[in-house]
Amino acid sequence: MEASLAGAPAGRPGDRRARVVCLGASFTGRYLAREFASEASVVFLTRDPARLRSQGLAALDPRDAEAAAAAPGALILDTVPAADPALPYRPALGDLAGRPGGARYLHLSSTSVYPSRFCAETEDGLPTLDERSATGSESARAEGRLLLERAVLAAYPEARILRCGGIYGPGRCVATRFRDGDFSRAGAGNRMVSRIHVHDLCRLVLALGRAEPGPALVNAVDEGPSSNRETFSHLEGVLGVTVPGRWRTAAPAGRRVVSGHARALLGGRYAFPTYREGFADCLERTAAR
């Protein structure tokens, strides 16, 4: 069946790669397809398959969802943001992710579902939240994410949720923005930020797709939540720039988000445990651009 689908990987005899059906043409999905080609065969379901095919990626129209996800052990990676209509590909997928032994459904959500309106005199006074912490719809974005999580679980009760911190990587990184003179991300005061390098996020996706039984909810964050004061000061030293904004004097705000499962899923080691290693990777890999 796969070989007859235009634009989809035909597969090879003995191919042990994970079969990933990515909903949406996301930054994470595209990185997974390009950087983990030896571990995963990725096909995208998108409303504009021709655009992705022109980039050398395998893509199908949503009408082909059932055939794409029918491969044994397929992993459905839902990266469609809450701004899109809820579960736009669900009718095409049918009950594939609900059948015994069927495709496993992973949904990328966001740590924005956790309360964040905390302030403190010092950074140590900000709370630390994990997968056991209560969620809160403090913004339209958070409410949309929570509603989408609930819709996913209503449709696929066995789905696994990855709540992602700020996803960054080569081509999508505050360090390269600052290097190039774009300081639009410097106006948020002295907020605490939890991040994840896209490389480690892709590793978590594949690990959670394999894990049995595996946790139902994982905070996809690295081991080094950091304040803007710490992060921007570091980047000023690395880049030799002056970052504008109130981050030097503003009171600490926000919260740390940590993960009780990510390190174990990653085999005990992050490729980029903090923003320092991750930003260095982004700067190195985009130096020639």
Side-chain angles (χ1 to χ4, degrees):
M1 180 180 292
E2 289 182 22
S4 66
L5 298 176
R12 301 186 302 270
D15 190 346
R16 295 183 178 275
R17 294 180 299 167
R19 168 71 171 184
V20 180
V21 179
C22 185
L23 311 186
S26 67
F27 175 68
T28 301
R30 287 180 281 121
Y31 189 96
L32 179 68
R34 292 186 171 118
E35 300 292 328
F36 288 81
S38 64
E39 298 179 48
S41 170
V42 183
V43 59
F44 294 84
L45 291 182
T46 170
R47 287 172 290 224
D48 189 7
R51 179 172 65 86
L52 284 187
R53 289 175 192 159
S54 71
Q55 300 171 13
L57 300 172
L60 299 171
D61 185 275
R63 290 172 295 184
D64 295 316
E66 186 166 353
L75 174 63
I76 298 170
L77 178 60
D78 178 6
T79 70
V80 180
D84 269 19
L87 305 182
Y89 302 115
R90 189 206 303 172
L93 288 169
D95 66 347
L96 283 169
R99 301 174 190 168
R104 173 161 289 170
Y105 198 107
L106 264 62
H107 174 65
L108 296 193
S109 185
S110 169
T111 55
S112 66
V113 301
Y114 295 114
S116 62
R117 292 176 182 171
F118 301 102
C119 295
E121 293 184 3
T122 66
E123 293 176 11
D124 289 342
L126 296 175
T128 297
L129 308 182
D130 62 16
E131 290 91 346
R132 299 166 297 178
S133 301
T135 58
S137 54
E138 293 181 340
S139 66
R141 180 187 180 205
E143 179 67 19
R145 285 291 189 181
L146 283 171
L147 289 174
L148 189 53
E149 283 187 13
R150 292 165 190 159
V152 166
L153 292 172
Y156 309 115
E158 300 302 315
R160 298 176 179 186
I161 307 293
L162 280 159
R163 288 177 178 161
C164 306
I167 303 171
Y168 73 97
R172 178 175 165 173
C173 179
V174 68
T176 52
R177 284 176 178 266
F178 286 4
R179 180 196 63 191
D180 298 338
D182 177 359
F183 298 107
S184 58
R185 297 294 179 90
N190 186 25
R191 294 199 64 80
M192 185 67 64
V193 180
S194 299
R195 301 177 177 84
I196 184 77
H197 191 293
V198 66
H199 193 89
D200 281 323
L201 176 55
C202 289
R203 291 175 64 211
L204 281 173
V205 164
L206 295 176
L208 191 57
R210 294 188 298 263
E212 292 291 353
L217 171 64
V218 176
N219 287 342
V221 292
D222 67 22
E223 297 185 301
S226 62
S227 66
N228 284 344
R229 182 178 300 164
E230 176 190 337
T231 308
F232 295 173
S233 294
H234 172 75
L235 288 176
E236 284 190 330
V238 169
L239 299 172
V241 300
T242 299
V243 179
R246 295 180 54 253
W247 56 269
R248 299 177 201 275
T249 57
R255 73 288 191 258
R256 295 174 181 82
V257 178
V258 300
S259 180
H261 304 293
R263 172 175 270 276
L265 285 167
L266 294 174
R269 185 185 66 83
Y270 284 80
F272 303 101
T274 76
Y275 73 90
R276 291 174 181 261
E277 297 89 354
F279 286 1
D281 172 72
C282 294
L283 290 167
E284 179 180 353
R285 293 175 65 180
T286 59
R289 295 184 183 182

